[in-house]
Amino acid sequence: MIVALNISLTISPCMMMTHSYKRNPSRISAISLAQPTTSLRRCECYDMYKEVVPFAEAWSWQKSIVEERKKLITIDEDISDSLIVLQHEPVYTLGTASSDNNLNFDVKDSPLPLYQTERGGEVTYHGPGQLVMYPLLNLRYQKMDLHWYLRALEEVVIRVLSSTFSLKASRVEGLTGVWVGDKKLAAIGIRVARWLTYHGLALNVTTDLSPFNRIIPCGIRDRGVGSIKGLLNEHSSTYDDDKLIEIAHESLLNEFCEVFQVDLFQQPVSKIKFQEK
């Protein structure tokens, strides 16, 4: 299970715009994801995709934004969503459904920093070369349906892999995430509080996959993990790591805008750090 909902119950399962990303109306999804709107909702983007940020710092940012947004919802002034994009320093994170049985090490002697979080799901690894997106969306302006939201996040990644890298990506019945063959390239774990989302998705682009050997990723024992770089190398396609990250990042932002029908407005990182205070 990969969802944690905090409404009345818990389920586990510079201000000036520099540029914006807009949804392409000619694109039609294979599943109905976009919700009819008369205008695209504003989404402030804190884009640190080239930076490697400690998990605890990004986690604190998210919680700070959520608490502020809750206040705005109360007075009906929640006028924009947020998106944080970054990479993390090597870290293991645990979800609400995590079990020590999926750790190939003593929890008291973890080889990497280990955090118990409030997101849904099991254990996973974050590290350099993995693009992480934390959408902080008010689902009242999308669809108040957690399963829909999970499928929408998967759709973002599926579109990136198929349209940008010509990789045949798919879902797996009964599981959450995105696979190419039997290799999982994207993990998804979310928390929802008063229909505000946080946590999100992680896509392995040029990630060193060896830290996954110390865990059972997402508690799934009969499938492996993969990366875009690894799969492209299998087809004799070679890319510079930085270029591959850049291409994947651009595609992720564009597909995110299409699926969720938002306009991204770049924000200075100093704003999110100030807001945390």
Side-chain angles (χ1 to χ4, degrees), residues 18 20 38-39 44 51-52 68 112 119 130 152 174 184 193 216 223 233 240 246-247 274:
T18 55
S20 66
T38 56
S39 62
E44 299 185 344
E51 298 183 34
V52 179
E68 184 62 29
L112 296 174
R119 66 163 172 80
Q130 183 189 76
K184 189 174 187 178
I216 309 300
R223 292 175 179 268
N233 285 345
D240 172 81
E246 182 181 340
I247 293 169
F274 177 80

Side-chain angles (χ1 to χ4, degrees), residues 143-162:
K143 187 173 183 179
M144 294 163 68
D145 182 324
L146 300 187
H147 294 289
W148 172 88
Y149 179 57
L150 291 170
R151 302 294 82 78
L153 290 176
E154 290 170 345
E155 182 70 9
V156 171
V157 177
I158 289 171
R159 290 183 179 195
V160 168
L161 296 176
S162 60

Side-chain angles (χ1 to χ4, degrees), residues 7-22:
I7 300 175
S8 58
L9 69 161
T10 298
I11 303 174
S12 294
C14 160
M15 295 301 292
M16 292 183 63
M17 176 184 68
T18 55
H19 63 280
S20 66
Y21 293 79
K22 296 179 181 292

Side-chain angles (χ1 to χ4, degrees), residues 46-49 51 53 55 58 62 83-89 91 125-135 187 189 199-205 207 245 249 252-253:
Y46 302 93
D47 195 348
M48 296 165 271
Y49 83 97
E51 298 183 34
V53 179
F55 176 80
Q62 293 178 73
L83 175 67
I84 302 172
V85 187
L86 44 68
Q87 300 176 52
H88 279 310
E89 294 178 353
V91 64
Y125 164 76
H126 297 303
Q130 183 189 76
L131 286 175
V132 179
M133 299 182 78
Y134 292 130
H199 294 283
L201 68 85
L203 173 62
N204 297 326
V205 184
T207 322
I245 288 285
H249 159 261
L252 276 169
L253 292 187

Side-chain angles (χ1 to χ4, degrees), residues 4-110:
L5 170 63
N6 182 20
I7 300 175
S8 58
L9 69 161
T10 298
I11 303 174
S12 294
C14 160
M15 295 301 292
M16 292 183 63
M17 176 184 68
T18 55
H19 63 280
S20 66
Y21 293 79
K22 296 179 181 292
R23 174 179 172 273
N24 181 349
S26 66
R27 288 289 298 275
I28 301 176
S29 170
I31 60 177
S32 178
L33 291 168
Q35 300 303 297
T37 58
T38 56
S39 62
L40 302 185
R41 183 162 166 84
R42 177 187 176 93
C43 184
E44 299 185 344
C45 182
Y46 302 93
D47 195 348
M48 296 165 271
Y49 83 97
K50 293 182 179 181
E51 298 183 34
V52 179
V53 179
F55 176 80
E57 189 171 359
W59 189 16
S60 179
W61 293 341
Q62 293 178 73
K63 291 186 286 187
S64 177
I65 291 173
V66 167
E67 290 308 308
E68 184 62 29
R69 295 272 303 278
K70 285 180 181 178
K71 298 174 185 177
L72 295 174
I73 287 173
T74 301
I75 59 177
D76 198 25
E77 291 185 5
D78 186 44
I79 61 174
S80 67
D81 290 316
S82 304
L83 175 67
I84 302 172
V85 187
L86 44 68
Q87 300 176 52
H88 279 310
E89 294 178 353
V91 64
Y92 293 122
T93 67
L94 305 173
T96 55
S98 292
S99 165
D100 290 357
N101 294 332
N102 292 318
L103 304 178
N104 297 326
F105 56 81
D106 186 332
V107 68
K108 297 179 181 178
D109 188 28
S110 176

